[in-house]
């Protein structure tokens, strides 16, 4: 089903996109993809700061707009990309949907399962596309891995480990501001959490979790979680923003193992590998270069125009939000039981 928004059923012309906010991820990743994709046209970029909007449009095109509401009022915008801080996602995604715009929102869609469920339902009721930008799911090598698992290349899956951590940022970064939805659990943990759900299914139980809080600022800066599926398959997740960079996941089966290095941020212009280990030794499987940001954008356009289903929409978003919330609750309970603060 195509959307009932301003441009959902329009074919033969690029999808006209507006951007709410001038975030770093927009500058580095998504705006180059939007500007370079023949199926999209960048119409306008909105900011509360006129100079910032002008700087972004000077680099990528489109018209600078002061104020997010003014952009949503434009009839020449079919869809919006939302790279705002997490705490602003829910109100502005809702306003965009109510304005009849399709939405591609940076991850996580919201900071709570209740808000996520409400927005997913609103998009469905409105006949509009609402995708969450966990762009790594669009990279072709994960499809290679899923095929290997389905074909029995490592036997029966027994355990998954996934990790994603980044070095500390400037202390003024929004990720250290709790009022803006900062913290490692919302910013980086979603990648290994989504990986666990992708391979192990939706009925995961949180066996244990821990979050370390910053000495000042009140946000979690690292953590870990142990999950279990209904068949006894386990998942061990680690995440943080006070580490040397690391991003990989490992699928451990009864007869072999698959390792995916640079799992969440592979270079767009370079090929990647999948490491397969089995009874006969190990080998590296080469995957051609792939731009996961462009592929996500193409999937968004296909969802808007043709109603093509996406792993980045609907019920999976709600299930992930619920699981993240359970990890937070389990970590809070563990800290309380320990009798000591999260940061030793």
């Amino acid at each position: 089903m195509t959307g009932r928004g301003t441009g959902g059923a329009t074919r033969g012309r690029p999808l006209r996109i507006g951007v709410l906010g001038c975030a770093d991820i927009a500058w580095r990743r998504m705006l180059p993809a939007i500007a370079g994709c023949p199926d999209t046209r960048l119409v306008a970029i909105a900011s509360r700061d006129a100079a910032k909007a002008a700087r972004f449009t000077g680099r990528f095109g489109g018209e600078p707009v002061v104020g997010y509401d003014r952009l949503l009022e434009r009839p020449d915008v079919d869809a919006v990309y939302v790279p705002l801080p997490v705490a602003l996602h829910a109100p502005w995604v809702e306003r965009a949907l109510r304005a009849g715009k399709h939405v591609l929102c940076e991850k996580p869609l919201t900071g709570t399962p209740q808000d996520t469920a409400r927005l997913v339902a609103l998009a469905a009721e409105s006949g509009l596309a609402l995708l969450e930008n966990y762009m790594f799911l669009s990279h072709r090598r994960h499809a290679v891995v899923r095929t290997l698992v389905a074909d029995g290349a490592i036997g029966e899956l027994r355990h998954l480990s996934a990790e994603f951590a980044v070095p500390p940022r400037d202390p003024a970064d929004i990720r250290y501001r709790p009022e803006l939805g900062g913290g490692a659990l919302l910013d980086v943990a979603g990648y290994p959490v989504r990986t666990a759900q992708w391979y192990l299914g939706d009925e995961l139980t949180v066996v244990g979790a821990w979050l370390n809080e910053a000495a000042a600022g009140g946000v979690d800066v690292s953590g870990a979680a142990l999950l279990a599926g209904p068949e006894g398959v386990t998942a061990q997740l680690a995440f943080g923003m006070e580490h040397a960079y690391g991003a990989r996941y490992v699928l451990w089966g009864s007869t072999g193992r698959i390792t995916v290095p640079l799992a969440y941020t592979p270079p767009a212009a370079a090929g990647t590998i999948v490491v397969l280990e089995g009874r006969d030794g190990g080998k590296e499987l080469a995957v051609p270069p792939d731009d996961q940001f462009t592929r996500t954008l193409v999937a968004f356009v296909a969802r808007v125009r043709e109603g093509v289903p996406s792993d980045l929409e609907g019920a999976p978003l709600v299930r992930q939000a619920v699981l993240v919330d359970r990890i937070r609750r389990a970590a809070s309970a563990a800290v309380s039981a320990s009798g000591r603060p999260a940061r030793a």
Side-chain angles (χ1 to χ4, degrees):
M1 178 180 68
T2 53
R4 296 197 298 267
T6 53
T10 301
R11 302 177 185 179
R13 74 176 185 200
L15 184 69
R16 301 171 299 179
I17 296 180
V19 179
L20 300 185
C22 296
D24 178 63
I25 185 68
W27 179 276
R28 292 186 298 108
R29 301 299 187 187
M30 286 308 298
L31 282 170
I34 294 170
C37 179
D39 292 326
T40 59
R41 180 165 70 86
L42 181 59
V43 173
I45 301 176
S47 175
R48 293 169 178 172
D49 182 329
K52 185 176 288 187
R55 181 169 71 90
F56 272 58
T57 55
R59 172 67 177 83
F60 298 106
E63 296 180 25
V65 176
V66 179
Y68 307 141
D69 275 322
R70 289 186 59 195
L71 186 144
L72 294 179
E73 292 169 356
R74 294 180 62 128
D76 60 345
V77 171
D78 305 321
V80 294
Y81 165 58
V82 182
L84 295 167
V86 176
L88 300 181
H89 285 182
W92 285 106
V93 168
E94 179 172 359
R95 291 188 191 188
L97 292 172
R98 295 195 183 281
K101 314 297 185 185
H102 304 281
V103 178
L104 172 62
C105 183
E106 270 307 323
K107 52 76 191 169
L109 178 59
T110 80
T112 71
Q114 294 82 8
D115 282 340
T116 297
R118 178 172 55 82
L119 292 179
V120 167
L122 176 60
E125 293 165 3
S126 304
L128 295 165
L130 172 59
L131 273 63
E132 181 183 44
N133 195 24
Y134 273 108
M135 62 288 172
F136 82 93
L137 297 174
S138 300
H139 198 284
R140 69 179 68 187
R141 82 175 147 161
H142 304 293
V144 171
V145 174
R146 296 184 81 174
T147 298
L148 288 170
V149 173
D151 289 346
I154 58 172
E156 294 190 16
L157 186 58
R158 304 296 194 205
H159 179 74
L160 176 149
S161 62
E163 59 190 42
F164 188 33
V166 297
R169 299 176 181 267
D170 186 289
D173 192 281
I174 62 171
R175 293 164 183 81
Y176 299 110
R177 296 178 60 181
E179 74 277 11
L180 293 180
L185 183 61
L186 290 180
D187 187 61
V188 291
Y191 292 84
V193 169
R194 181 63 68 88
T195 302
Q197 289 184 296
W198 218 28
Y199 289 104
L200 306 185
D202 300 318
E203 299 180 27
L204 293 171
T205 300
V206 180
V207 178
W210 188 268
L211 293 175
N212 289 312
E213 289 190 358
V219 299
D220 53 280
V221 292
S222 63
L226 177 63
L227 313 178
E231 303 300 321
V233 182
T234 54
Q236 187 173 356
L237 315 180
F239 48 90
M241 47 190 196
E242 56 176 1
H243 305 60
Y245 175 84
R248 71 169 184 169
Y249 66 83
V250 179
L251 300 169
W252 200 343
S254 58
T255 62
R257 188 164 64 171
I258 297 171
T259 301
V260 184
L262 289 177
Y264 306 121
T265 57
T272 55
I273 61 169
V274 171
V275 181
L276 175 62
E277 301 171 79
R279 291 169 175 164
D280 299 326
K283 60 181 177 180
E284 293 184 352
L285 306 178
V287 180
D290 199 20
D291 186 338
Q292 60 192 22
F293 292 92
T294 296
R295 285 178 65 87
T296 295
L297 188 61
V298 170
F300 180 54
V301 174
R303 175 62 182 84
V304 170
R305 286 181 171 172
E306 309 293 339
V308 178
S310 170
D311 288 327
L312 304 175
E313 67 174 342
L317 281 60
V318 180
R319 290 192 289 263
Q320 169 151 351
V322 169
L323 187 55
V324 167
D325 186 62
R326 288 174 179 168
I327 291 173
R328 186 183 298 281
R329 292 172 183 269
S332 179
V335 170
S336 298
S338 72
R340 59 189 176 94
R343 172 65 75 184

